[in-house]
Amino acid sequence: MRNPGYGRSFIDFPADTDFVPEGSYSTDNLILTANNYFGNVQWMISGMKAQNNDQRVVEGNATAAETGVHTMLAYHGDSFFGVSDGNFKVAVMHGQGLGAEAKNIGADGDLHEDAVSTRVGVYGTTYLSDNWRLAPAILAETSEDRYIKGDEYQWLTLNARLAQEFNANFEMQYEASWQTMDITPMGYSGRNAVEGDYSRFTVAPTFKPQVGGFWNRPEIRVFASYSTWDDELDTYAGGDALGADSDFASGQWTFGTQMEIWF
């Protein structure tokens, strides 16, 4: 069992002027985690408190969470779902209050005191042949009362990455993702309710000191991605690139380079 403690700082956020006349405040979110392993099973639980974070003003209301809890139950498999060599993981995460940010524990100080979220993740890696690798994943999350009482965030993502190894230092990576979402933000941060799908396809020539597995790093890749989404999603946030009124509405190419030292 591991019991680390750490914290995150929330700096100069808007606060209730009855509490702090200058209208801004800073605090630290202190987090205590117990991380337990029982064979292939992992159970982690974290409790957290950010003193006076409940004085934070979010969309005109001082209803932010001061405390929170986050827990995860996971199984780490030593094969590709029992059908071939490789590995897989299944995890369920649940959080309340400040713990309702499922991925980055304790990082979001705007979360409502009644915020609740649950995320499920399944992924695995395996070789299809001597030089082809496959890494599929399924992620889903449901969250309510996240920032404003009555809001709802629901999404489901399917993802698959293929890699073709050409030699010890070069491979081609191909990735396809599809996400469907149903979001009702209740006007939080000027966002609108939307429901629709998003898709992306990426091709990435990749260089690394040694190929040989999904987790092998470091690597540097040059990528080209094409994204497309339902027109309704353009109205989610007018100030965001996804909602921009331009020739790129509902479809866009992205080109770039990316380096990963550790994964």
Side-chain angles (χ1 to χ4, degrees):
M1 182 174 69
R2 304 170 187 172
N3 297 281
Y6 58 100
R8 298 181 183 272
S9 295
F10 300 147
I11 306 296
D12 293 333
F13 54 80
D16 188 346
T17 54
D18 290 337
F19 169 70
V20 53
E22 56 268 29
S24 66
Y25 190 70
S26 299
T27 190
D28 295 316
N29 187 14
L30 303 180
I31 305 167
L32 180 63
T33 297
N35 198 5
N36 309 275
Y37 289 86
F38 311 94
N40 290 357
V41 177
Q42 178 187 5
W43 177 54
M44 183 174 71
I45 185 168
S46 300
M48 62 205 74
K49 181 173 183 178
Q51 187 72 27
N52 296 321
N53 192 64
D54 56 350
Q55 301 299 322
R56 178 191 295 258
V57 174
V58 181
E59 298 298 312
N61 298 311
T63 54
E66 185 180 50
T67 62
V69 62
H70 177 282
T71 188
M72 179 187 74
L73 183 65
Y75 182 85
H76 305 266
D78 52 10
S79 68
F80 185 68
F81 301 102
V83 299
S84 64
D85 292 337
N87 61 75
F88 78 93
K89 294 186 181 182
V90 179
V92 179
M93 291 164 279
H94 179 78
Q96 298 181 5
L98 285 175
E101 171 50 57
K103 183 177 181 181
N104 300 311
I105 301 175
D108 192 344
D110 283 346
L111 290 167
H112 192 277
E113 59 188 1
D114 295 326
V116 177
S117 69
T118 301
R119 178 181 291 197
V120 178
V122 182
Y123 70 87
T125 66
T126 190
Y127 271 87
L128 300 176
S129 65
D130 289 341
N131 63 331
W132 280 93
R133 301 193 317 270
L134 172 66
I138 302 174
L139 296 170
E141 182 172 324
T142 180
S143 182
E144 61 183 24
D145 300 331
R146 190 171 182 86
Y147 300 110
I148 296 178
K149 192 72 174 178
D151 67 13
E152 293 184 5
Y153 296 78
Q154 299 177 0
W155 55 263
L156 166 69
T157 299
L158 306 180
N159 178 272
R161 178 180 292 188
L162 277 169
Q164 182 182 14
E165 301 172 1
F166 284 88
N167 56 47
N169 308 114
F170 177 75
E171 65 186 25
M172 288 291 297
Q173 295 184 2
Y174 313 92
E175 186 171 30
S177 299
W178 173 81
Q179 183 178 77
T180 185
M181 63 196 81
D182 185 356
I183 301 174
T184 308
M186 303 290 289
Y188 171 73
S189 195
R191 298 168 186 169
N192 302 305
V194 294
E195 181 178 359
D197 300 343
Y198 167 88
S199 301
R200 183 183 65 192
F201 180 73
T202 298
V203 177
T206 303
F207 303 87
K208 56 176 65 179
Q210 181 63 54
V211 303
F214 180 80
W215 308 108
N216 281 23
R217 298 296 188 275
E219 67 180 30
I220 185 168
R221 65 176 71 95
V222 180
F223 68 87
S225 296
Y226 180 74
S227 301
T228 183
W229 54 87
D230 290 344
D231 290 341
E232 183 182 348
L233 298 182
D234 289 338
T235 64
Y236 175 60
D240 186 84
L242 191 64
D245 184 12
S246 71
D247 293 337
F248 296 110
S250 301
Q252 184 170 350
W253 281 96
T254 304
F255 305 92
T257 60
Q258 183 181 22
M259 181 177 182
E260 293 180 353
I261 298 176
W262 176 85
F263 189 90

